[in-house]
Amino acid sequence: MSQIPLDVRDLTLRYGDVLALDGATARFPKASMTAIVGPNGAGKSSFLKSVLGLEAASGEVRAFGGPVADAMARIAYVPQRAAVDWSFPVRVIDVVLMGCYRQTGLLGRIDRRFQAQAMACLARVGMQDFARRQIGALSGGQQQRVFLARALAQGAELYLLDEPFAGVDAATEAAIINVLKGLQAEGATVIAVHHDLSTVAGYFDRVLLLNRHTIAEGPVAEIFTRDALARAYGPSLMLAAE
Amino acid sequence: MIIDALLLQAGYNAALVSLGAALLGAAAGAAGAFLTLRRRALMSDAMAHATLPGIGLAFLAMVALGGDGRFLPGLMLGAGLTAAAGLWAVQRLSRQLAEDAATGAVLASFYGAGIVILTLIQGLGVGRPAGLETVLLGSTAGMLRADALVIGFGGAAVVAALWALRRPLAMVAFDPIHARLMGINPRQMDALLMALVLAVVLVGLNVTGLILIVALLVTPAVTARLWATTVSGTAGLSAALGAACGYGGAAISAAVPDLPTGPVIVLLAAGAFALTLVIRGHADG
């Protein structure tokens, strides 16, 4: 019970006059795979960033039974289309090795063990043949896979992903969902902001319906109903989507 | 004659200057690589110009204490203090202004204050102010063994610190949010990098002068970036280029009478950059 990977209560975040999150509450059981779903501006990305402490939100966030700050080594985050300088002189393998920083430390040597670990993570996302490429020479989907590999290199138990399928090709989408399901099978917990309502049931087993506060959360079969979606998105938007 | 200088055969002082300039170039190249990757190049220019009032004030303070005002570590201390103040001012103003505007404002006002103080000093007739203005464009002709040692140890310390910090510095420059999640404090890393750049600026006052040190920080770095594929490769190549330009520039200016060292070093670096653009300009990445 106390070891629940992520337990969020009353998460509230203000940007000036705008209320991005208004008391969002959710629990994410171990080895579950949850889609965070909601309309634009519902605070889905803000939810992940607030959980990670990247935004100064109020409320209580507990990870693995303690304050989230004490569990950062067990949490990996894949941002939405990382806002990095793509002309940066860094190869794919170097990006993945950045995920090993907690293990290598400041002065630790990056020896064969870490190289092999990073290569294995690249192989898992199907990018092993691109290890020596410049990060900027890859397609958007390939870049997204490399950032997933960087998260894998951390060896985390809780994965937070912000729209991992946004703007990627079909091969990348299939590769990413395979990896995420594999992580779940190994006992890791996966939480992803997700946009495509048509794939929620196929990809995830739980849903958090969010519109600044929690509309509903639970197993997909129980929660992902027309009624709940209408409450999250508003009835008119639902009609437009049909 | 230039050959003699390049082979360190042009006399003790010329050899000293060449080695000192090479070490400065290596430190500036390495620090500049991380600085440009972090997109803080202009910040170093503001910092360098903000050393000037500190040099003048340190001179006055040392004269007041009974010296002739030309004690180099004292001048460097004063320069470091006002440079740090300038850096603080840029960061403080950046809350209200765009960072480039804040940088420009600080650069100009600190430099203006420095020129005023230096002009006043010339009129006071105290201490030994003649030649104090060489910190603007550098002057290696009168470099002493002690100065060369300061440059050598300072440059080596900067290079060693950058080597130790290369991974967190690269991570903060590439993806500061990820770096933060990996337990690195980006603000702390930025402060450390700025401190190392400040050390390069202070060490470089004697060689290139404060106006041109930014060229030695930036030019080898942007040149190296067009060749290298990794951060370590960029920093290493940038350091090698900086060292070569420092060494070559000092040797040329020792061999040709009246040729100023700092500008020659900077022109060599610019030449390497121009050559790189011609060769690599059409290659992508």
Side-chain angles (χ1 to χ4, degrees), chain B residues 105-165:
Chain B
V106 168
L107 187 156
S109 39
F110 274 71
Y111 186 64
I115 293 290
V116 167
I117 294 171
L118 246 53
T119 311
L120 289 176
I121 287 173
Q122 309 292 342
L124 279 179
V126 295
R128 194 162 58 83
L132 202 56
E133 73 288 347
T134 56
V135 296
L136 295 179
L137 288 170
S139 165
T140 49
M143 192 188 278
L144 303 172
R145 188 157 175 276
D147 301 342
L149 284 175
V150 168
I151 294 173
F153 280 113
V158 166
V159 170
L162 287 167
W163 174 254
L165 295 171

Side-chain angles (χ1 to χ4, degrees), chain A residues 113 128 141 236:
Chain A
R113 185 166 60 97
Q128 68 277 19
S236 55

Side-chain angles (χ1 to χ4, degrees), chain A residues 20 24 37 39 45-47 67 71 81 84 88 98 102 140 170 213 216 221-222:
Chain A
V37 172
S45 297
S46 299
F47 182 87
R81 190 89 175 94
V84 303
F88 203 88
M98 288 178 184
R102 280 182 190 275
H213 62 276
E222 288 170 30

Side-chain angles (χ1 to χ4, degrees), chain A residues 1-7 9 27-28 30 62-67 74:
Chain A
M1 196 52 184
S2 66
Q3 283 301 302
I4 181 161
L6 187 62
D7 189 353
R9 278 185 211 154
R27 288 163 63 86
F28 301 89
K30 184 170 163 57
R62 294 180 75 75
F64 303 102
R74 299 164 78 178

Side-chain angles (χ1 to χ4, degrees), chain A residues 53-54 72 77 84-85 87-91 94-95 98-99 101-102 104-108 110 134 147 150 154, chain B residues 37 39 164-168 170-171 173-175 177-178 180-184 189 225 228-231 234 285:
Chain A
L54 296 173
M72 289 310 290
Y77 171 61
V84 303
D85 169 9
S87 71
F88 203 88
V90 65
R91 298 167 307 175
D94 304 321
V95 174
M98 288 178 184
Y101 181 75
R102 280 182 190 275
T104 55
L106 183 64
L107 296 171
I110 293 181
Q134 286 297 118
F147 282 95
R150 181 181 70 177
Q154 247 178 281
Chain B
L37 286 173
R39 299 173 175 273
L165 295 171
R166 68 195 185 284
R167 252 181 262 156
M171 285 172 70
F174 179 60
D175 189 345
I177 290 176
H178 179 256
R180 206 172 134 187
L181 294 174
M182 299 303 283
I184 298 166
M189 279 301 142
R225 197 167 159 176
T229 57
T230 64
V231 171
T234 305

Side-chain angles (χ1 to χ4, degrees), chain A residues 12-34:
Chain A
T12 300
L13 175 67
R14 266 179 196 287
Y15 295 115
D17 291 338
V18 182
L19 200 57
L21 289 168
D22 184 10
T25 295
R27 288 163 63 86
F28 301 89
K30 184 170 163 57
S32 65
M33 208 166 144
T34 307

